[in-house]
Amino acid sequence: MTHWFHRNPLKATAPVSFNYYGVATTPAAVKVCNDLRLSRTRLLELFTDSSCNPEMMKNATDLYFSLLQGFILSLDDSSQECKLRYIQNFKWTDTLQGQVPSAQQDAVFELVSMGFNVALWYTKYASRLAGKEDITEDEAKDVHRSLKIAAGIFKHLKESHIPKLITPVEKGRDLEARLIDSYIIQCQAEAQEVTIARAIELKHNPGLIAALAYETANFYQKADQTLSSLDPTYAGKWRKYLNLKSCFYMAYVKPVAKRFACLISKFERHTVTMAKLYCYFQKVPAEAPQLELKANYGLVEPVPFEFPALNAHWTPETLAAFDLTKRPKDDTAKPKPDEEVKPLKEPDIKPQKDSGCQIS
């Protein structure tokens, strides 16, 4: 069954060279910086590579994040802040507010922004697979898994890392709680769409399908309501999608309930002899019976996510080799004011089967 999912664009970012001339005083320190630059560039390339798969993405993210952790984590497991956390300025755009970038001189900002893009990539990978005309069972499982992974990343960022930012999150920006919550809920709802499609194909209990459809509709409605206080200029298109999906899955419930009533009637017509004649002349109820619409099976929970451990190249000696007293006075680590943040050129991938669905 082909699925149709709305997607917001990826975040774009300014290039980062990680060149700290004079500050990185040993070959080991310089190598870490070079590895950071190369692994970041590679990860950004994979975001727009249509041939990238989850294994490639995981390998690239594990490498970059394990290196970036050296700018954030204390090597002695103490609560003391790493001295490199504020050495580099990072610039990122927003999924809703176009190419208007935000900048923070904070490695945690880079961690959560890049992590946000990784979660978005998993949703886009799921959408690409789900749009295939003849999606296989294994591909459907990959769609389901990718959406749960994305939800888990968003959840982890919200709970464990965004609160550590020194600069407060701007309202209406990606890292604000309202948007993060909406992304999490949308991922859960879309994963449940896959569950519902599978349940229909396998002709599972109509009551179960109705309950899952009801819960999925409520997920979409909740995501929509979470965005209701945002400027419609930015969130209007997204909210239309969420509202449409909510209405669509709520519409599943009544037909399924009527079918359930019909099945009950057919079953009753084949019971004991004394009941046969009575049941035979009973009409299918005009009103669908009240089904138990609290699903106890098939509900989606985010896959727990953790960033990788610190890269082995980060040793006390390597960290000590960064001499912050030798930083240029004009702080060349900061991007130039007129530095352009170019949007990521995403592949134009459309469903192989035209569903006719479009949000405008």
Side-chain angles (χ1 to χ4, degrees):
M1 179 181 290
T2 300
H3 296 274
W4 169 66
F5 300 140
H6 167 71
R7 292 292 176 257
N8 293 322
L10 289 164
K11 296 165 73 67
T13 181
V16 180
S17 68
F18 293 103
N19 288 330
Y20 307 118
Y21 299 111
V23 175
T25 60
T26 66
V30 172
K31 183 182 187 314
V32 166
C33 294
N34 288 338
D35 290 347
L36 271 164
R37 182 182 68 257
L38 293 173
S39 60
R40 187 180 198 264
T41 300
R42 174 57 177 158
L43 181 52
L44 292 172
E45 290 172 348
L46 287 180
F47 285 148
T48 58
D49 184 349
S50 60
S51 67
C52 180
N53 59 45
E55 183 180 1
M56 294 167 64
M57 179 56 60
K58 187 177 188 311
N59 290 338
T61 54
D62 282 354
L63 177 58
Y64 179 61
F65 288 136
S66 70
L67 289 165
L68 184 64
Q69 296 276 44
F71 279 32
I72 300 170
L73 300 179
S74 171
L75 296 186
D76 58 4
D77 295 324
S78 70
S79 58
Q80 187 176 358
E81 215 167 56
C82 178
K83 69 178 184 179
L84 300 179
R85 176 172 172 177
Y86 306 107
I87 194 175
Q88 177 68 54
N89 190 288
F90 298 95
K91 225 176 191 183
W92 284 89
T93 63
D94 195 75
T95 60
L96 293 186
Q97 298 191 28
Q99 297 307 304
V100 180
S102 295
Q104 291 191 34
Q105 190 148 337
D106 187 349
V108 173
F109 179 65
E110 168 74 357
L111 184 78
V112 296
S113 298
M114 189 69 84
F116 193 101
N117 246 19
V118 172
L120 281 180
W121 179 88
Y122 275 100
T123 70
K124 289 173 180 284
Y125 176 77
S127 182
R128 185 167 76 243
L129 274 186
K132 295 180 64 175
E133 183 171 358
D134 299 312
I135 184 171
T136 66
E137 182 179 347
D138 285 342
E139 288 170 334
K141 289 179 180 178
D142 282 344
V143 172
H144 194 261
R145 186 183 306 109
S146 295
L147 290 167
K148 291 196 297 181
I149 290 172
I153 296 173
F154 285 129
K155 187 172 185 288
H156 182 65
L157 295 177
K158 177 193 171 186
E159 294 178 352
S160 301
H161 297 282
I162 293 175
K164 296 177 182 177
L165 288 170
I166 301 299
T167 304
V169 175
E170 299 174 62
K171 290 185 177 180
R173 291 283 183 167
D174 286 336
L175 304 183
E176 196 204 341
R178 288 177 296 177
L179 275 81
I180 291 276
D181 285 340
S182 293
Y183 275 115
I184 294 170
I185 298 166
Q186 180 179 335
C187 288
Q188 291 177 278
E190 290 175 348
Q192 284 184 190
E193 286 193 49
V194 179
T195 302
I196 292 169
R198 183 64 176 161
I200 292 172
E201 289 175 359
L202 296 178
K203 296 180 170 45
H204 281 178
N205 185 301
L208 170 64
I209 297 172
L212 282 173
Y214 182 74
E215 297 283 0
T216 302
N218 284 340
F219 265 141
Y220 278 119
Q221 184 180 53
K222 183 179 179 181
D224 177 43
Q225 291 172 346
T226 303
L227 296 174
S228 62
S229 57
L230 291 176
D231 186 340
T233 304
Y234 304 124
K237 189 174 182 179
W238 190 6
R239 290 194 63 199
K240 285 180 182 179
Y241 165 78
L242 297 170
N243 185 260
L244 175 63
K245 283 294 186 83
S246 176
C247 293
F248 180 82
Y249 279 96
M250 195 59 77
Y252 255 68
V253 178
K254 287 185 178 180
V256 170
K258 285 190 175 182
R259 183 181 173 208
F260 187 56
C262 181
L263 290 173
I264 292 173
S265 180
K266 287 181 179 179
F267 176 76
E268 288 174 345
R269 291 201 295 269
H270 293 83
T271 55
V272 293
T273 305
M274 290 300 293
K276 264 186 185 177
L277 293 176
Y278 173 79
C279 292
Y280 184 81
F281 293 102
Q282 298 304 303
K283 295 180 179 180
V284 175
E287 292 295 326
Q290 291 296 315
L291 296 178
E292 175 57 55
L293 293 178
K294 181 66 177 176
N296 297 312
Y297 175 79
L299 294 178
V300 169
E301 290 296 328
V303 171
F305 175 82
E306 293 285 343
F307 283 110
L310 188 67
N311 192 284
H313 290 304
W314 280 110
T315 64
E317 292 76 22
T318 302
L319 182 60
F322 285 85
D323 187 352
L324 299 185
T325 64
K326 295 181 179 179
R327 293 176 70 182
K329 291 182 179 180
D330 60 352
D331 198 0
T332 55
K334 291 185 178 182
K336 298 176 183 178
D338 60 347
E339 185 175 17
E340 183 183 2
V341 179
K342 297 180 180 179
L344 293 179
K345 189 175 181 180
E346 301 184 45
D348 184 17
I349 299 173
K350 297 179 180 179
Q352 294 180 11
K353 184 177 181 180
D354 186 6
S355 65
C357 295
Q358 183 177 354
I359 297 291
S360 61

